[in-house]
Amino acid sequence: MPFFAENLGRWWGNNPVLKKQEEIDLLAIDSKNAVICECKYTEVPFDEKELKDLQDSALCIKQPNKFFMIFSKNGITSGVRKQIENDSNYSIITLEDLFKNMHWRTPNRKIRLRNVPVDGMVEVVIFIYDGFLFIS
């Protein structure tokens, strides 16, 4: 993450530009920066519509510097890759990346990705990436 987050959590509210409800899976902010995260634990790659929804949700965030992290079990489509490949404000993290980049302070701990189902869908995913604990 390009800054130290002062606040971290799930966010939802009204999009004043598009006049609709928005939900952000995970938002990390300080006074000038925001990391807006979308978490997809599905069998299909993150697609162009989901990218548009992610970008729309950023309209609700006041911080001028916005970064995006897409956590996707099965990566992204080629269309999404083409749209964001030259934009350093986007990061893609797959399930495989999570396991490659886990850092534990104690070598005896086991790596664990935990899914908590809610109403038949995976609603909560807990993981560590690049030394940070994420709960979505």
Side-chain angles (χ1 to χ4, degrees), residues 20 22 29 32 36 46 48-49 53 55 62 67 72 76 79 83 93 97 113 131 133 135:
K20 68 175 192 169
E22 296 285 0
I29 60 172
K32 295 180 183 175
I36 302 161
F46 185 88
E48 291 86 347
K49 182 194 177 309
D53 290 344
Q55 293 165 337
K62 297 175 186 174
F67 305 93
S72 177
I76 60 175
Q83 288 184 47
I93 300 95
D97 294 332
L113 178 71
L133 173 67
I135 301 173

Side-chain angles (χ1 to χ4, degrees), residues 101-131:
N101 292 302
M102 291 215 176
H103 302 286
W104 296 100
R105 299 200 188 280
T106 312
N108 297 332
R109 290 195 184 199
K110 294 184 190 263
I111 294 173
R112 186 163 186 177
L113 178 71
R114 183 167 174 228
N115 302 315
V116 180
V118 177
D119 295 332
M121 298 175 59
V122 173
E123 182 64 23
V124 178
V125 178
I126 302 169
F127 56 89
I128 295 178
Y129 178 75
D130 198 22

Side-chain angles (χ1 to χ4, degrees), residues 26-72:
L26 188 60
L27 177 65
I29 60 172
D30 69 8
S31 61
K32 295 180 183 175
N33 303 288
V35 174
I36 302 161
C37 303
E38 183 69 23
C39 304
K40 293 293 181 193
Y41 193 79
T42 64
E43 297 301 319
V44 295
F46 185 88
D47 64 23
E48 291 86 347
K49 182 194 177 309
E50 292 166 321
L51 178 62
K52 173 83 168 89
D53 290 344
L54 176 64
Q55 293 165 337
D56 287 349
S57 68
L59 298 171
C60 302
I61 307 305
K62 297 175 186 174
Q63 283 73 5
N65 304 317
K66 296 180 177 79
F67 305 93
F68 300 89
M69 295 180 84
I70 300 168
F71 294 89
S72 177

